Amino acid sequence: MLKYSFKKFLDYLVHDGVLTEPQAKQAELEILKSDLEPEDFILKKKLATNEQVLTAKAKALGFEYVSLTNVAVSPQAITLIPEVIAKQYVVFPIEYDHKNNVLKVVMEDPLNLDIISFLEKKTNKKIVPYMSSKDEIIEAIRIQYQQSISPTVTTALEEYSDQQKEEQGAISKSQIIKEPPIARLVNTILEYAVKGRASDIHIEPQEFKTRVRYRIDGILYEKLSLPRSLHESFVSRIKILSQMRIDERRLPQDGRFTFKIGDQEVDLRVSSLPTVHGEKIVMRLLKKTGGIPSLPDLGLTGTGLQNLEAAITKPYGIILITGPTGSGKTTTLYSILSRLNKPGVNILTLEDPVEYEIPGINQVQINVQAGLTFANGLRSFLRQDPNIILVGEIRDQETTNLAIQAALTGHLVFSTLHTNDAATAIPRLIDLGAEPFLVASVLAATVGQRIMRKICPSCKVSYQPSKEIEDSVRKTLGPLLPSKLANQPLTFYKGKGCDECGQSGYFGRVGIFEVILANQQMSQLILKSATAEEIAKEAKKFGTINMIEDGYLKVLAGVTTVEEVLRVAQER
C-alpha cells in the first residue's frame, strides 16, 4: 500500500471541489477512528468517484493521474515495452517524446524505483512515471496490445523512417505521398474508422505530435498519436485522394472521395483548415451500404410516431425538423422521404451538401459561388412540377417566404431549423419574416429531436438507481409512467464495457423526439404570435411527449442510460 499524507489527500479533494471544508474535517476525524485507508473510507461513504479519489491520491504522492479509459495509442511507445513486460510489472506506455528521448509510462506505484530503473535499462529511454489504477492498466494492456491498428501503423512508421534515412532527405514530397508507408497508414486509419463505426475522423497537428481522434456514437475518442514529422505527407496523401490542392495551405478546402473495405463502401467528405501548427483535416464518413433506417428504427414510437405519420400523409403543408447540429435531422428527413418515395411522386431536394443519394429522388447540391442558393433553387423547383420539396435549411426571410408559398400552392415542404425544441420553431419562423396567418394556414407539424447512445446489448446489466434519480424520473414522467411500475422500484440499465463496444458500454445511437401536430387550437395560438412556452403548454394538453419524457421512457425500456438522457437534454 502506497503511503501518503491523508491530510494532503483530503486537501486536494477540497481543492478539486469534490468535498467541502466541513466534509473534509469530518472525514479526517472518522478516518483516524477507523481501520480503513483514506481512499477506501471516501469510496465506502460514496463521497467521491473512484477517478476523483485516484486523482487526489496521485497529487498527494506528487504525481499526475492518467485515466486510461480513453487514452491515445502511441504506436512507437507501445513497441518500446513488450506486452510480456507490461503485464509482469503492470505498466503501460502512453507517449514517446523522440526529441528528448523520454517515455511516459503509467504505473500503479510510480514510487517503485526498481521498476523505473529496469524500464530505463530495457528501453534506453528516460522514464517519466504517471499514476493510474491497477485495473485500468491491466485493461489498457489487454485492449491496446491486441488492437490491430498499432502494429500496422508501427510497421508503416518504421518503413517511412527507413525510407527517409536511405534517401537522406533527397526524396520529394510528391514521391513520399505515393509510397506504400504513407498510403498504408492512411488506409489503416480509414479501415479502423469503418470497423469502429466512426462517423468522423479528426487529424489534428499539435506542437510535437499529430493526434487522430474518432467520433464514435457522437463522442470523440483519441485513439492514435503520430510523429509530427510525417504530418504534411499524411495530409497531402488525403488531399490528393480528395482532389484538393496540395500546394494551398493558407485557405480552407473541401473535397470528397470513396473508400471501400470488403463489401462496405464509404463516401468521405473532407475538410481542411489551417491552424497554427499545420493543417487540420476532418473526414465525415457516409456509408453507401446499409440503407436508410425506418422511423421506428430512429426511435420514434407511440404518440410521436402517430403524429408524424399523420403529418407526412397530408397533400400539402410544411413540416419542420429542429435541433442543433449533429442531432440527426438529415437522417430523419431521409427516412421520411424514403417512406414517401413512390413512382407516382416527384420529390426534389435542395441540400448543402447532399449526404446520401436516394434512387428515385432528384437531389440538388447548393453551390453559392455559382449562384445556386436555397432561395434561388427553391424558386426554380416550383417550375419543376414537384409534389414534395425538401429544403435543407430555412435560414433567411426569402427562403422562409418561398417555402410558405410552395406549401400554399399545394406542395408538401420539409425543412430544418436550428432551434432548441419543436415549440420554438413556430416563433422562429415568424421572426424570419413569415406572416402568422400564413404559418397558421400551412404548418403541419414541428419535430424536435436529439440523438443519444444506446446501451451495448453484449454487456448490458441492470441496477437500482438512487432515490433522488428515481424520484426525478417519476416526477418528470407523471401519468406517462407505466402503471405496472407505479408501486414497485424502478430498474435501470447500463453497459459494463466489452470488446464489442470498445469498453464504452454503448453501441449505436437512437433519437429522442417531440412532435407537435398543428390543429385548430394551435393555429389560434400562432395567429396570436404566442410564445414557445404557450405553444408547448397547449401541445401538452393534446398528449405531446417532450424529449426528456421520451428519453426517460427509453431508459425504463432498457434502450439507453439516464446519464445519456441528461447529457443530451442539457443541450436544450
Side-chain angles (χ1 to χ4, degrees):
M1 181 66 71
L2 290 170
K3 294 297 177 185
Y4 57 93
S5 167
F6 79 85
K7 288 186 180 181
K8 270 190 183 181
F9 168 71
L10 292 172
D11 286 344
Y12 280 117
L13 286 174
V14 172
H15 179 268
D16 294 341
V18 179
L19 298 181
T20 62
E21 287 281 2
Q23 282 178 318
K25 286 179 181 177
Q26 182 64 30
E28 185 179 340
L29 291 172
E30 293 185 34
I31 288 168
L32 290 169
K33 293 176 186 176
S34 74
D35 296 328
L36 293 172
E37 290 293 328
E39 68 261 36
D40 295 333
F41 175 84
I42 296 294
L43 289 171
K44 185 181 178 182
K45 293 289 185 179
K46 296 183 179 178
L47 295 171
T49 65
N50 192 50
E51 187 168 323
Q52 290 168 336
V53 165
L54 286 170
T55 302
K57 182 180 174 181
K59 288 177 180 177
L61 287 164
F63 294 94
E64 186 179 333
Y65 169 76
V66 173
S67 174
L68 294 174
T69 53
N70 186 24
V71 71
V73 179
S74 171
Q76 289 176 304
I78 291 281
T79 56
L80 292 172
I81 297 181
E83 184 177 1
V84 63
I85 290 176
K87 283 180 176 178
Q88 183 179 348
Y89 295 100
V90 195
V91 297
F92 183 73
I94 55 171
E95 192 176 322
Y96 174 54
D97 180 354
H98 180 78
K99 187 177 179 181
N100 298 308
N101 198 35
V102 169
L103 180 63
K104 296 178 181 178
V105 176
V106 177
M107 308 169 64
E108 183 191 15
D109 179 6
L111 293 172
N112 193 322
L113 299 178
D114 290 337
I115 293 178
I116 293 171
S117 176
F118 169 77
L119 292 175
E120 286 185 336
K121 288 177 183 176
K122 180 72 180 175
T123 61
N124 200 26
K125 319 289 178 198
K126 177 172 173 53
I127 301 296
V128 175
Y130 289 78
M131 186 175 168
S132 193
S133 70
K134 183 177 182 179
D135 290 342
E136 278 196 60
I137 295 171
I138 291 170
E139 189 65 9
I141 293 168
R142 186 183 72 80
I143 295 168
Q144 304 293 6
Y145 278 93
Q146 289 177 4
Q147 279 186 344
S148 58
I149 192 167
S150 292
T152 312
V153 170
T154 303
T155 304
L157 292 177
E158 286 172 354
E159 287 183 31
Y160 175 79
S161 179
D162 291 343
Q163 178 179 290
Q164 282 189 312
K165 287 175 186 174
E166 287 173 16
E167 297 292 338
Q168 295 180 342
I171 192 165
S172 69
K173 183 180 289 182
S174 61
Q175 287 175 284
I176 289 175
I177 57 182
K178 293 175 186 175
E179 289 296 324
I182 293 295
R184 192 179 304 124
L185 189 59
V186 171
N187 282 352
T188 301
I189 284 167
L190 292 177
E191 283 178 21
Y192 187 83
V194 175
K195 289 175 181 175
R197 304 175 295 107
S199 61
D200 301 84
I201 308 170
H202 292 238
I203 315 293
E204 300 172 322
Q206 297 182 322
E207 190 174 359
F208 301 114
K209 66 177 183 178
T210 292
R211 71 173 179 178
V212 181
R213 296 196 289 173
Y214 295 91
R215 189 176 294 282
I216 301 169
D217 293 334
I219 306 294
L220 271 175
Y221 295 94
E222 190 174 342
K223 293 287 186 181
L224 193 62
S225 174
L226 300 172
R228 182 69 181 80
S229 58
L230 60 73
H231 180 79
E232 286 189 14
S233 301
F234 185 69
V235 167
S236 295
R237 172 69 182 172
I238 293 169
K239 283 175 139 185
I240 283 178
L241 291 171
S242 312
Q243 297 185 325
M244 293 155 67
R245 289 180 55 187
I246 62 170
D247 59 338
E248 179 56 80
R249 301 190 194 92
R250 298 167 301 169
L251 295 173
Q253 294 186 70
D254 295 304
R256 66 192 305 163
F257 67 97
T258 300
F259 178 73
K260 193 168 184 179
I261 171 172
D263 58 351
Q264 292 192 72
E265 195 171 0
V266 179
D267 262 341
L268 288 107
R269 260 196 0 240
V270 184
S271 170
S272 73
L273 181 73
T275 71
V276 290
H277 294 302
E279 286 183 283
K280 174 181 175 177
I281 297 285
V282 173
M283 294 182 274
R284 166 67 57 90
L285 282 75
L286 305 166
K287 288 188 179 179
K288 284 187 170 184
T289 50
I292 294 166
S294 66
L295 291 174
D297 288 342
L298 293 177
L300 273 155
T301 56
T303 308
L305 180 60
Q306 290 170 15
N307 286 347
L308 186 56
E309 285 180 332
I312 67 177
T313 53
K314 291 184 177 181
Y316 68 93
I318 290 181
I319 296 171
L320 296 172
I321 312 291
T322 72
T325 302
S327 60
K329 299 187 297 292
T330 304
T331 304
T332 300
L333 286 172
Y334 281 165
S335 182
I336 293 169
L337 291 186
S338 297
R339 174 95 169 256
L340 300 174
N341 188 16
K342 295 172 185 174
V345 178
N346 180 22
I347 301 176
L348 297 173
T349 77
L350 195 58
E351 304 172 61
D352 183 23
V354 174
E355 293 196 3
Y356 296 95
E357 293 179 17
I358 308 174
I361 292 179
N362 305 285
Q363 295 172 272
V364 178
Q365 168 85 45
I366 287 293
N367 188 339
V368 178
Q369 290 178 332
L372 180 53
T373 62
F374 281 120
N376 290 341
L378 188 49
R379 197 176 286 110
S380 301
F381 274 18
L382 297 176
R383 298 191 289 272
Q384 288 284 323
D385 186 30
N387 298 106
I388 297 170
I389 296 171
L390 184 152
V391 184
E393 186 183 347
I394 291 178
R395 57 175 71 156
D396 55 43
Q397 185 173 353
E398 189 178 9
T399 310
T400 303
N401 291 331
L402 284 167
I404 287 173
Q405 288 302 320
L408 284 170
T409 51
H411 304 96
L412 187 58
V413 180
F414 294 93
S415 192
T416 68
L417 272 178
H418 286 284
T419 62
N420 285 336
D421 52 40
T424 312
I426 297 168
R428 177 65 59 83
L429 210 56
I430 295 169
D431 289 343
L432 285 169
E435 293 289 348
F437 73 93
L438 292 178
V439 175
S441 301
V442 299
L443 189 68
T446 60
V447 180
Q449 70 177 74
R450 296 289 188 278
I451 196 163
M452 58 188 181
R453 294 177 291 173
K454 293 194 294 185
I455 298 169
C456 173
S458 300
C459 58
K460 182 175 173 180
V461 293
S462 62
Y463 72 98
Q464 299 300 316
S466 68
K467 188 178 185 302
E468 292 80 10
I469 292 175
E470 181 171 337
D471 289 346
S472 174
V473 171
R474 286 183 184 276
K475 183 180 177 182
T476 302
L477 288 177
L480 293 172
L481 185 74
S483 55
K484 62 181 180 180
L485 298 176
N487 298 312
Q488 65 182 52
L490 300 184
T491 300
F492 288 2
Y493 300 86
K494 62 182 178 181
K496 290 192 299 182
C498 63
D499 291 342
E500 284 292 313
C501 60
Q503 310 303 317
S504 69
Y506 297 97
F507 191 96
R509 291 192 285 177
V510 68
I512 51 174
F513 299 86
E514 57 188 23
V515 182
I516 296 178
L517 192 63
N519 54 24
Q520 192 172 352
Q521 289 84 350
M522 201 62 67
S523 297
Q524 292 298 319
L525 285 177
I526 295 170
L527 287 170
K528 294 174 186 175
S529 297
T531 64
E533 290 77 14
E534 291 170 328
I535 291 166
K537 191 175 179 181
E538 184 66 26
K540 197 74 184 153
K541 293 179 184 176
F542 293 94
T544 296
I545 296 173
N546 66 37
M547 282 185 275
I548 294 179
E549 291 168 344
D550 189 27
Y552 282 160
L553 289 172
K554 287 180 168 69
V555 168
L556 295 177
V559 175
T560 189
T561 63
V562 70
E563 289 82 8
E564 273 297 285
V565 176
L566 295 173
R567 179 178 69 85
V568 300
Q570 285 172 356
E571 295 175 5
R572 289 171 65 83

